[in-house]
Amino acid sequence: MSLIESAKTTLINRIPILKWGPKYNTRNLLSDTIAGFTVGLTVMPQALAYATLGGLEPQYGLYSAFAGCFVYAIFGSIKDITIGPTALMALMTYQQVVGRNTDYAILQVVGVLIDFISIPVTVGFTSATSVIIATSQLKSLLGIKISASAFLDTIKQVGENIHKTRVTDFSLGICCIIVLMILRKLKDIKLHKKNAKPTKVQRYLNYAFWLLSTSRNAIVVIACSFVAYFYETKSDGTPFILTGTVKPGLPELRLPPFETAIGNRTVDFIGMMSDLGSSIVLVPVIAVLGNVAIAKAFASGSTIDATQELFTLSMCNVIGSFFSSMPITGSFSRSAVNHASGVQTPFGGIITGAMVLLALSFLTPYFAYIPKASLGAVIVSAVIFMIEYEVVKPMWRSSKKDLVTTFATFVFCLIIGVEYGILMGVGINIMFLLYPSARPTIYLDHLKVNNDYVAAMTTTKSVEFLMITPGNSLYFPAVDFIKTSIAKAGLSSKNLPVTVDCRFILGADFTAAKGILALINEFMMRKQPLYFLNPREEVISVFQGVMMDDFKYFNSREELELQIEENAAEANERQSLLEASEETPQTNDIALREGTELDEIILGNKPMTLNHRNVENR
């Protein structure tokens, strides 16, 4: 491949619009327009709600909902994904904005991307944040005013102010949740039988049900806004707490804030980074996890270019920061709507972004009449389905230790906060990963070698030896445990030859080599053979660098058994010489001199019962 062709391939891979753009047609445009419009109806009420959840003014949700759509249309590789504000990102934002200002929310989007958190940690984190988000909306549903920054604090303050509940807001919130749940199920209604082909009328009605279901957030918010507007203009005032004024117009194009003012003091960039602490890493981590998970869900079995997705997500956030955007990532619910709407290319995101820009330009005066209880109902109805209780049963059946990680992450996120909770979950997960390295399973077997050569040279037809198989690599956390286990097994075997099967030992280090050298010396002192079977080249190199010629290994089972057979034959011959010397005293000195070279051979003429056992981990 020439340099030009290579550069062209790289460019197309990094800017996917160059691949699907030339093939774009009117049919694609029609499908993308319908999908983009449907997603737009979904994202606008969600964006307003998530901005409020994040402790920001409502317009910041709309600021965050359009830039990512345009960027992903150019650089995104999965047609179904829509980028924008989410409940999870809003909660992460709230943790840093409370007591500060919006500059911290905008600065959070410029972070370091990391993609390594296990599923159990993610499940615990997502479920806990769902509970925290739902709890945080109690004040909107009850119509009370509290200022809480954590789960336990919210519960406490809600309990203290429960007597101030506004009946009108509470009733509206409960009604909205009930309607949203009903509309959510509406899409599952099919008017035709399962295996029958729907008629034309049934097909249109099924589509109408689906459209009502996917647009449920917009329908509920618009309906509640009309009710509030009616009360506001036709009577003395509305009985609901409203969202209030939403700043009209497009956001100002400017650089991300690298310094800010809090009260009477100015905080520079370093100070802001220090205030943000671990969230400057955790927020992008959660964004990456969500986006990659959504990409896998909608990739339809095709290969995902994770590098491209991470690059695109970072571009969405960085460019969004110039438009006062809060941290954004892929939205699973809106991506599902996009997919179900029949989107054909990422161009659907451009239609969605255009709708948000039009709303900012012309509809913001009407957003002021949206009751907060209706937005709270939208958030609660979305996040309760993010509590992943269904994984408990399969996780219990497959890996109970993962369940420990999940529950620990869940509990710590609720008690000490989502940032420290996820760090605790990762820490516990790492401990579970490291434990097998420090305490590997040791398999121990008594084996027999049967050979005609041995039968001719010894008084028994079989020779026994001990086979020890460590179940992990030999690195410093495990060396003392493995060394002790082999030494104890050798002592209990009544001086049988011992072989260490190295098939599972993928690597070793200097500490392990020194430990094995001490073990070899211990076996040599009691004149018991110690061999190693099938070690890898890298293991041999490490061990020989420390032990030189003391490390005795074999590359096949046949070579090992032949050596054990020869040792048994020599031991039997030495035993015969010793017995003969006892019968003939005058030749005793000669026999002893001839036997000096056999002093290192182990007597193996006593048959033993075949058995199998494991050396327990300690």
Side-chain angles (χ1 to χ4, degrees):
M1 182 182 293
S2 66
L3 183 61
I4 296 178
E5 291 177 345
S6 178
K8 183 179 178 181
T9 302
T10 302
L11 187 64
I12 291 175
N13 288 336
R14 291 293 166 256
I15 310 178
I17 194 174
L18 298 177
K19 184 176 182 179
W20 57 263
K23 305 175 185 177
Y24 201 75
N25 54 43
T26 54
R27 185 174 180 178
N28 296 142
L29 178 61
L30 179 61
S31 298
D32 290 344
T33 300
I34 294 173
F37 183 80
T38 306
V39 174
L41 291 177
T42 305
V43 71
M44 283 189 283
Q46 284 186 340
L48 295 170
Y50 295 153
T52 304
L53 173 62
L56 306 173
E57 295 177 7
Q59 67 268 16
Y60 284 95
L62 297 174
Y63 294 167
S64 308
F66 70 87
C69 293
F70 294 123
V71 175
Y72 196 86
I74 298 172
F75 298 101
S77 60
I78 308 297
K79 64 182 177 62
D80 308 278
I81 289 183
T82 62
I83 303 293
T86 64
L88 206 55
M89 289 293 98
L91 179 67
M92 299 291 288
T93 300
Y94 178 76
Q95 304 294 319
Q96 300 304 325
V97 170
V98 60
R100 297 173 183 154
N101 57 33
T102 57
D103 289 342
Y104 282 89
I106 299 169
L107 187 63
Q108 276 189 110
V109 305
V110 188
V112 180
L113 297 179
I114 299 175
D115 188 20
F116 184 76
I117 295 181
S118 70
I119 290 178
V121 173
T122 305
V123 168
F125 172 78
T126 303
S127 299
T129 50
S130 300
V131 173
I132 295 171
I133 290 169
T135 304
S136 70
Q137 293 308 297
L138 289 176
K139 61 181 180 181
S140 296
L141 294 175
L142 298 175
I144 59 179
K145 294 182 179 181
I146 60 174
S147 179
S149 59
F151 172 74
L152 295 179
D153 189 27
T154 300
I155 295 295
K156 178 184 177 182
Q157 291 198 36
V158 168
E160 292 175 348
N161 294 274
I162 193 72
H163 62 282
K164 299 178 182 178
T165 299
R166 292 167 56 96
V167 176
T168 51
D169 286 285
F170 179 70
S171 301
L172 179 66
I174 295 300
C175 289
C176 287
I177 291 175
I178 293 173
V179 171
L180 287 168
M181 294 294 103
I182 294 174
L183 291 177
R184 187 177 188 273
K185 284 294 183 181
L186 194 62
K187 69 178 185 299
D188 299 326
I189 297 176
K190 304 297 180 185
L191 299 179
H192 61 283
K193 294 183 179 180
K194 185 174 182 181
N195 297 322
K197 185 177 180 180
T199 63
K200 187 175 182 180
V201 174
Q202 289 174 335
R203 191 164 57 250
Y204 281 125
L205 287 175
N206 289 338
Y207 181 76
F209 288 159
W210 173 86
L211 188 62
L212 285 172
S213 180
T214 54
S215 304
R216 61 187 180 274
N217 293 331
I219 292 171
V220 167
V221 170
I222 291 173
C224 292
S225 299
F226 270 116
V227 172
Y229 178 78
F230 175 81
Y231 273 107
E232 186 74 19
T233 57
K234 302 297 182 181
S235 62
D236 295 334
T238 178
F240 312 116
I241 297 177
L242 303 181
T243 299
T245 303
V246 178
K247 184 180 177 181
L250 301 179
E252 180 185 353
L253 176 62
R254 60 179 182 178
L255 288 172
F258 294 113
E259 67 175 20
T260 189
I262 300 179
N264 296 323
R265 66 187 182 93
T266 300
V267 182
D268 60 13
F269 177 72
I270 301 299
M272 294 179 72
M273 294 288 287
S274 177
D275 291 340
L276 288 172
S278 60
S279 70
I280 203 69
V281 173
L282 285 179
V283 169
V285 165
I286 303 307
V288 167
L289 286 173
N291 202 67
V292 172
I294 295 170
K296 290 179 180 178
F298 292 100
S300 302
S302 60
T303 303
I304 298 172
D305 188 346
T307 301
Q308 181 64 22
E309 285 301 302
L310 300 184
F311 166 74
T312 304
L313 182 59
S314 64
M315 288 287 290
C316 290
N317 277 280
V318 170
I319 293 177
S321 68
F322 286 83
F323 296 95
S324 301
S325 169
M326 61 191 284
I328 57 176
T329 187
S331 166
F332 192 90
S333 60
R334 295 196 297 274
S335 297
V337 170
N338 205 23
H339 175 79
S341 301
V343 70
Q344 297 297 310
T345 71
F347 186 81
I350 293 180
I351 303 299
T352 300
M355 286 189 63
V356 175
L357 290 178
L358 289 173
L360 279 168
S361 301
F362 303 107
L363 300 180
T364 48
Y366 304 102
F367 291 153
Y369 295 100
I370 298 176
K372 286 189 175 182
S374 65
L375 292 180
V378 168
I379 294 174
V380 171
S381 300
V383 300
I384 58 175
F385 294 100
M386 294 169 59
I387 302 174
E388 302 184 55
Y389 60 87
E390 71 279 357
V391 304
V392 173
K393 189 174 181 180
M395 202 176 286
W396 173 265
R397 291 197 304 260
S398 62
S399 178
K400 293 180 178 59
K401 73 176 187 301
D402 287 337
L403 201 59
V404 173
T405 303
T406 298
F407 275 112
T409 305
F410 179 81
V411 171
F412 282 125
C413 283
L414 292 181
I415 295 176
I416 63 177
V418 291
E419 293 180 359
Y420 297 108
I422 196 171
L423 290 177
M424 292 292 291
V426 170
I428 293 172
N429 199 53
I430 290 174
M431 288 175 59
F432 280 129
L433 291 174
L434 291 179
Y435 184 79
S437 298
R439 291 294 182 271
T441 303
I442 306 293
Y443 302 97
L444 189 149
D445 297 294
H446 282 85
L447 303 177
K448 289 184 178 181
V449 178
N450 294 287
N451 192 283
D452 293 338
Y453 172 77
V454 180
M457 299 299 295
T458 65
T459 59
T460 181
K461 293 185 178 180
S462 65
V463 176
E464 293 188 1
F465 67 99
L466 198 64
M467 179 73 79
I468 299 175
T469 308
N472 210 330
S473 297
L474 272 174
Y475 291 113
F476 71 91
V479 64
D480 285 337
F481 175 76
I482 293 177
K483 174 177 172 291
T484 302
S485 299
I486 295 174
K488 287 183 178 180
L491 284 172
S492 64
S493 68
K494 299 181 180 179
N495 270 11
L496 284 178
V498 175
T499 299
V500 179
D501 188 345
C502 302
R503 56 182 158 169
F504 299 127
I505 299 178
L506 304 180
D509 56 16
F510 179 78
T511 304
K514 293 292 287 185
I516 296 301
L517 176 60
L519 182 67
I520 291 175
N521 291 334
E522 181 180 334
F523 272 70
M524 290 176 63
M525 289 178 63
R526 61 173 180 261
K527 300 176 183 178
Q528 183 178 11
L530 177 63
Y531 304 120
F532 295 84
L533 177 64
N534 290 326
R536 296 174 179 265
E537 288 295 330
E538 50 268 35
V539 176
I540 295 173
S541 176
V542 172
F543 282 4
Q544 286 186 336
V546 174
M547 307 176 206
M548 300 302 289
D549 298 331
D550 292 329
F551 180 62
K552 297 178 181 180
Y553 66 93
F554 298 91
N555 292 320
S556 69
R557 179 76 172 264
E558 291 75 16
E559 293 178 5
L560 169 69
E561 292 187 354
L562 181 61
Q563 180 65 54
I564 294 174
E565 291 167 356
E566 290 177 353
N567 288 350
E570 291 175 0
N572 188 69
E573 182 180 352
R574 179 175 178 274
Q575 178 67 20
S576 299
L577 289 174
L578 290 175
E579 291 175 354
S581 67
E582 292 176 358
E583 296 175 0
T584 312
Q586 64 272 19
T587 61
N588 189 52
D589 292 340
I590 297 174
L592 289 176
R593 284 195 303 273
E594 292 177 349
T596 54
E597 295 181 359
L598 300 177
D599 285 342
E600 297 179 1
I601 307 301
I602 306 303
L603 296 177
N605 59 348
K606 183 179 180 180
M608 298 182 65
T609 304
L610 181 64
N611 59 69
H612 303 273
R613 65 189 180 88
N614 289 335
V615 177
E616 295 181 355
N617 290 347
R618 301 185 184 277

